[in-house]
Amino acid sequence: MVNAQISPLEENVARKDIAHVSPAGIEGNVDVSAKNQSWKNYFWDSWDKSPEERRLLFKLDLTLMTFGCLGTFIKYIDRSNINSAFVSGMKEDLRLYGNELNYASTAFSIANIIGLWPCNLILTRSNPKWFIPLLEAGWTICTFAQAAMKAPLQMYVLRTLTGLFETGHYSAIVYLCGAWYQKAELSRRLAIINCATAIGPMFSSYLQAAAYTGLNGRHGMAGWQWLFIIDGVISIGIIIPQCLFYPDVPSRQKPDWVFTEKEIEIARDRNPREGRVKQGKFTRTQMKRWLLTPDIWLLWLISIGNSIGNQPSSSMAFWLKAWNKKHPKSFTVPQINNYTTPIQAVTVVVTLFMAWSSDTWLGGRRWPMLVVGGVVNGIVCILLGSTPVFPKNRAFRWFLYYQTGWAQASNSMFWAWTQDTLSGDPGTRAWASAGLNVWAWTFIATVPLAVFKTTDQPAVVAGNFTAAGFCFTVAIGAVALAYLQHRRSLTSGGDGSIDDSQGSDSEIRSSDNADGLVYDDSKIVRTGIKAVA
């Protein structure tokens, strides 16, 4: 595969004649925030910035981060609700004694795959404050409808529709974060959002346990049906404020009741590669980059390995339920739901540790934590596959299940790495970000059908060894990409991202605006950041 000729894209958003403070972490229009840090940055990244920049970050965290976390939270509650409901009575009520749950998950995955790329590419040309809440409203309606399921076919249809509406939400949030935050801020923000992917399933289990205990049989509905209703009610309260406060990318953001014109100018200067680059129409040259950039394919490979490496974490609920067949009344339904939640708790702690490490003492490098996550999770999967499923002493296998989230914990790294690598080309960054999920869901939709069959749970020996192989692929892919970018940095003298050494401004502007951007020389100022200390 040949590296596409990707160059830094020129500014096409006019600079306002507004004096403002110089953003911290920027030297010579280059983001050096991950290298030049004070001790305060090890605790939180805004403490060593000016009051104006801290105010901007506070507003941004209050809107983009809050809505990103809440939207991801309700999305992952819904995603895990189907499994919580399955072990809490839905299996018996809908007579799901075969691989119906696998088929529903596959339908959900296929719907995600179909909608991901269109969703992210549309986002580069549309306003998130309308587009993202519209998607969330769609999956909220589908969530309510799942409480009325009576047959497997209804489950397949509703999971397909839910998948279509949920598609691209997380990658869209990451795309927006990549446009606003600096390199030393990004991994921590993505980790906090990513924690919602762990807290959502944890909350779902507690919610199902509570619904089963307190609402089972109320108004003629089972506890698992109440789970979907409660989830839908929570979702409604999150959607409405987003239509008022969701920010756009800095290059398109206009002054409103949250961000002033001066703050928008600071935000654009904080991200020198992309802050003033607005995506125009997609062109053949830009699309060629999408397919011929080796960095993108390696990032996708890492995402694939991560998606399958995380699969053994879902086996613990089946394992606890299976003990009831060997020793009746070993675990109650609430216990089955509650005892799996420490998997997510461990994942949250490891996620935050990895993100803080990447943004601080690792100087913005993402690959070391990917290697750690892949290797640890791979070893855990090998032990799960090679030890007895029902040992005399359950403690060790119990402990192993609690360590199956290390791969998931490291996924903030490749999401942040994608934004770092492709910053400066919004269309390519959106394409690559969506692709991280497209390929992950492609493998999630197929591999579990063969090695993680519902009828084989909780043993899934082949699945555990398969997951181990994918985990080690994460580590290998991370090392390969780090080596590729290191070699590129030696040639260009830059940081190894794809735009360090390719072409000049005149080359970029030729070939009928090949970058898909609209240029206006009369409005573009190239004299550096207009700022005051």
Side-chain angles (χ1 to χ4, degrees):
M1 186 181 297
V2 211
N3 189 8
Q5 297 298 300
I6 302 185
S7 308
L9 305 183
E10 283 196 52
E11 299 171 359
N12 62 351
V13 174
R15 291 179 179 271
K16 305 293 184 181
D17 190 17
I18 300 175
H20 59 77
V21 297
S22 299
I26 303 298
E27 293 181 3
N29 281 356
V30 176
D31 183 348
V32 295
S33 59
K35 298 177 181 178
N36 298 345
Q37 302 183 29
S38 73
W39 62 270
K40 296 178 182 178
N41 201 22
Y42 281 73
F43 295 94
W44 189 239
D45 47 49
S46 63
W47 289 1
D48 58 355
K49 293 178 170 60
S50 65
E52 292 85 352
E53 199 170 351
R54 285 202 301 270
R55 190 179 304 113
L56 168 64
L57 282 171
F58 175 75
K59 291 181 178 181
L60 192 57
D61 291 342
L62 201 60
T63 52
L64 178 55
M65 283 292 295
T66 298
F67 295 137
C69 287
L70 291 175
T72 304
F73 173 70
I74 60 173
K75 173 183 176 181
Y76 274 81
I77 286 181
D78 172 74
R79 184 173 294 180
S80 59
N81 273 354
I82 196 75
N83 289 324
S84 297
F86 183 84
V87 298
S88 304
M90 188 180 76
K91 174 182 178 180
E92 291 75 16
D93 290 350
L94 271 61
R95 303 183 64 81
L96 308 176
Y97 297 115
N99 284 316
E100 292 89 354
L101 185 63
N102 276 121
Y103 301 148
S105 297
T106 299
F108 181 95
S109 302
I110 291 172
N112 260 275
I113 293 165
I114 292 172
L116 269 164
W117 269 318
C119 174
N120 249 38
L121 294 178
I122 289 172
L123 189 66
T124 66
R125 309 289 301 277
S126 62
N127 195 326
K129 71 168 55 177
W130 302 115
F131 185 63
I132 291 178
L134 179 65
L135 295 177
E136 293 182 357
W139 89 56
T140 298
I141 293 171
C142 293
T143 298
F144 279 120
Q146 287 175 80
M149 295 187 300
K150 302 294 183 184
L153 180 60
Q154 296 173 349
M155 179 174 66
Y156 303 151
V157 172
L158 287 172
R159 293 309 290 174
T160 299
L161 292 174
T162 304
L164 279 173
F165 285 114
E166 286 191 6
T167 188
H169 178 272
Y170 184 78
S171 56
I173 297 300
V174 174
Y175 170 79
L176 291 172
C177 287
W180 283 94
Y181 291 110
Q182 293 180 335
K183 188 170 185 177
E185 303 162 347
L186 183 59
S187 180
R188 276 177 275 193
R189 296 312 196 290
L190 297 187
I192 292 170
I193 295 174
N194 193 39
C195 284
T197 69
I199 295 172
M202 184 190 304
F203 188 82
S204 173
S205 296
Y206 290 134
L207 192 61
Q208 179 60 78
Y212 187 86
T213 303
L215 294 173
N216 192 34
R218 187 72 59 91
H219 299 298
M221 292 191 297
W224 65 267
Q225 293 174 302
W226 280 107
L227 179 65
F228 290 111
I229 292 174
I230 295 170
D231 183 12
V233 171
I234 294 172
S235 302
I236 291 175
I238 294 173
I239 295 171
I240 298 173
Q242 298 184 47
C243 298
L244 301 174
F245 301 114
Y246 227 121
D248 204 340
V249 294
S251 61
R252 291 199 308 251
Q253 180 68 38
K254 296 179 180 178
D256 55 20
W257 44 28
V258 179
F259 298 100
T260 66
E261 195 166 46
K262 180 184 291 187
E263 288 170 338
I264 295 170
E265 285 298 295
I266 296 174
R268 289 169 177 169
D269 287 343
R270 277 169 38 84
N271 196 339
R273 284 181 178 169
E274 190 162 324
R276 299 183 184 278
V277 177
K278 185 188 296 184
Q279 177 65 48
K281 65 178 182 179
F282 303 113
T283 66
R284 185 179 302 175
T285 302
Q286 195 173 31
M287 293 177 187
K288 183 179 177 181
R289 298 171 183 166
W290 300 352
L291 301 176
L292 298 180
T293 304
D295 304 60
I296 294 175
W297 287 96
L298 283 169
L299 287 162
W300 288 349
L301 177 67
I302 294 169
S303 179
I304 291 168
N306 184 279
S307 67
I308 302 301
N310 186 50
Q311 291 299 307
S313 63
S314 63
S315 296
M316 187 175 185
F318 294 100
W319 183 66
L320 294 172
K321 187 164 185 171
W323 275 105
N324 288 337
K325 293 183 179 179
K326 294 182 69 67
H327 304 290
K329 299 182 180 180
S330 293
F331 300 101
T332 65
V333 169
Q335 286 175 330
I336 291 172
N337 282 286
N338 291 337
Y339 288 168
T340 60
T341 57
I343 296 176
Q344 310 304 332
V346 171
T347 302
V348 167
V349 172
V350 177
T351 296
L352 295 175
F353 166 75
M354 289 183 170
W356 253 256
S357 297
S358 177
D359 278 356
T360 55
W361 63 273
L362 287 173
R365 290 187 293 273
R366 316 301 186 189
W367 66 269
M369 291 296 104
L370 284 166
V371 172
V372 170
V375 170
V376 171
N377 218 138
I379 293 172
V380 168
C381 291
I382 289 175
L383 291 173
L384 283 171
S386 57
T387 54
V389 179
F390 298 106
K392 291 181 180 179
N393 187 337
R394 294 183 286 213
F396 181 61
R397 193 170 186 87
W398 201 303
F399 169 78
L400 289 176
Y401 279 125
Y402 283 173
Q403 307 308 312
T404 52
W406 281 70
Q408 181 185 347
S410 68
N411 72 14
S412 298
M413 299 297 101
F414 64 75
W415 282 100
W417 206 354
T418 302
Q419 312 313 305
D420 298 339
T421 299
L422 302 169
S423 180
D425 187 340
T428 301
R429 191 163 61 84
W431 167 267
S433 296
L436 293 172
N437 268 340
V438 167
W439 289 108
W441 279 110
T442 299
F443 278 74
I444 290 172
T446 52
V447 174
L449 290 176
V451 294
F452 283 98
K453 294 179 181 178
T454 306
T455 51
D456 292 339
Q457 292 282 13
V460 288
V461 175
N464 288 325
F465 283 118
T466 301
F470 277 92
C471 285
F472 292 126
T473 299
V474 171
I476 294 169
V479 171
L481 180 54
Y483 176 74
L484 171 68
Q485 295 190 348
H486 175 67
R487 288 290 302 270
R488 188 184 293 134
S489 69
L490 293 178
T491 304
S492 66
D495 61 7
S497 57
I498 56 177
D499 64 354
D500 279 336
S501 60
Q502 307 294 334
S504 65
D505 285 353
S506 59
E507 292 171 334
I508 299 167
R509 294 168 56 78
S510 63
S511 186
D512 192 25
N513 294 337
D515 293 310
L517 303 173
V518 181
Y519 299 103
D520 183 348
D521 285 335
S522 65
K523 294 182 179 179
I524 300 173
V525 179
R526 309 186 190 286
T527 56
I529 299 175
K530 180 179 178 59
V532 293

